[in-house]
Amino acid sequence: MVAQVIDGKAFAAKLRAQVAEQVATLKEAHGITPGLAVVLVGEDPASQVYVRSKGKQTLEVGMNSYEHKLDASTSEEDLLALIDRLNNDPEVHGILVQLPLPKHLNEDLVINAIDPAKDVDGFHISNVGLLGTGQKSMVPCTPLGCLMMLRDHHGSLSGMDAVVIGRSNIVGKPMAQLLLGDSCTVTIAHSRTKNLAEVVRRADIVVAAVGRPEMVPGDWIKPGATVIDVGINRIERDGKTKLVGDVDYDSCAEVAGAITPVPGGVGPMTIACLLANTLTACTRANNLPEPNGLTA
């Protein structure tokens, strides 16, 4: 068996096109343009690349992009004051504070200062609680992208056995909640799970988000299972730097029914879902019907 490759890059392009179409309709019918504000504190190189990409894609789908670049020495008071201004700006429907923040800033405090209705990352404690209790929330982008790809591949996920490897607040926990919401039987496993191979081997769906390069080998995968690899790890191999996921792609692809590659799998979906979340936040703020198929 050779696994079907789930092309996240193509899926993300299709999703962005859907968002662009809905944004154009909003403008034409209601004179409303969704706006996304991204706040970058400091000069972390990876964060700078990410923020540039977010800004470019935001403009490409017809939204307004507001970038706020602050010095690494910015005080907590000044950052919170900016967030307060954005919370009260009717032109801003989504707010994202790029992580990680400099060490002198309290990330939890900063994230929870964002208006939950504008929290397009889905990290605010209110959104975490709403998601956990099955209520309408802003859904974290990476798990949302994984769910969209799973739904697209399988149709219904009802009754499927899913194992999420990783228990982070950003991916592992919300991913489990989303799978539960689609009526999967869900196990959250992690690096300290006993008999991890056996736990993974029974799953129809494996979501690997543990942050360890190529940790999951092919002999852990149930034949025909769907493997969603969230990991993005830089390793040195044969004198070159290479991007790999949390699963050993070659051996897993020989056993799985479908698999996401790294790069080109989950990664492109994250920004596409950020745009979808901004559109959703805008429609909710204006008491308009939510766009179909763009959230959980």
Side-chain angles (χ1 to χ4, degrees):
M1 178 186 295
V2 177
Q4 178 183 338
V5 177
I6 299 175
D7 187 341
K9 193 173 180 183
F11 197 108
K14 185 171 71 172
L15 182 58
R16 288 194 304 274
Q18 283 180 264
V19 171
E21 185 180 335
Q22 295 280 348
V23 168
T25 300
L26 260 184
K27 288 180 180 179
E28 188 176 339
H30 303 283
I32 298 167
T33 302
L36 173 62
V38 178
V39 180
L40 174 65
V41 185
E43 298 180 352
D44 178 79
S47 292
Q48 287 181 321
V49 170
Y50 230 49
V51 166
R52 273 199 302 273
S53 183
K54 286 170 182 171
K56 181 171 177 283
Q57 291 188 37
T58 301
L59 294 172
E60 284 174 351
V61 298
M63 294 184 184
N64 290 328
S65 175
Y66 308 103
E67 291 186 11
H68 297 269
K69 297 180 179 178
L70 309 178
D71 291 339
S73 60
T74 297
S75 70
E76 201 160 77
E77 182 182 8
D78 286 347
L79 178 55
L80 293 174
L82 171 60
I83 291 170
D84 186 58
R85 289 199 302 276
L86 297 174
N87 284 340
N88 291 291
D89 186 344
E91 300 296 313
V92 173
H93 303 98
I95 302 169
L96 180 149
V97 177
Q98 184 66 42
L99 302 178
L101 291 172
K103 288 188 168 31
H104 69 283
L105 300 173
N106 182 328
E107 287 190 357
D108 290 338
L109 181 69
V110 169
I111 288 166
N112 290 321
I114 298 170
D115 179 347
K118 296 187 177 188
D119 167 39
V120 286
D121 256 341
F123 295 163
H124 191 287
I125 192 67
S126 294
N127 283 318
V128 173
L130 290 167
L131 179 61
T133 50
Q135 300 179 69
K136 184 187 287 187
S137 69
M138 296 307 301
V139 180
C141 302
T142 300
L144 178 58
C146 295
L147 182 71
M148 286 181 176
M149 290 191 290
L150 285 166
R151 285 175 173 172
D152 182 71
H153 181 71
H154 287 286
S156 172
L157 306 181
S158 181
M160 297 183 78
D161 195 327
V163 170
V164 179
I165 312 173
R167 51 185 166 174
S168 73
N169 293 330
I170 293 173
V171 180
K173 291 175 186 174
M175 188 76 247
Q177 297 290 354
L178 290 172
L179 291 167
L180 280 171
D182 270 30
S183 299
C184 291
T185 300
V186 182
T187 301
I188 300 180
H190 44 81
S191 58
R192 297 188 184 181
T193 299
K194 290 182 179 178
N195 303 316
L196 181 57
E198 292 175 29
V199 171
V200 175
R201 206 171 280 129
R202 68 167 186 253
D204 304 308
I205 295 168
V206 177
V207 181
V210 74
R212 293 193 179 184
E214 300 177 329
M215 176 180 164
V216 180
D219 63 6
W220 287 17
I221 302 299
K222 176 182 177 179
T226 300
V227 178
I228 304 293
D229 191 350
V230 182
I232 301 177
N233 309 286
R234 292 186 185 277
I235 63 167
E236 291 289 329
R237 181 170 292 162
D238 301 325
K240 296 179 181 177
T241 302
K242 185 180 181 183
L243 276 182
V244 299
D246 289 352
V247 308
D248 178 47
Y249 183 85
D250 290 341
S251 63
C252 288
E254 291 178 5
V255 185
I259 191 170
T260 58
V262 176
V266 174
M269 288 296 292
T270 299
I271 297 181
C273 287
L274 173 68
L275 302 175
N277 276 353
T278 304
L279 176 59
T280 297
C282 179
T283 56
R284 290 177 182 174
N286 289 280
N287 295 311
L288 295 169
E290 292 184 24
N292 191 36
L294 294 187
T295 190

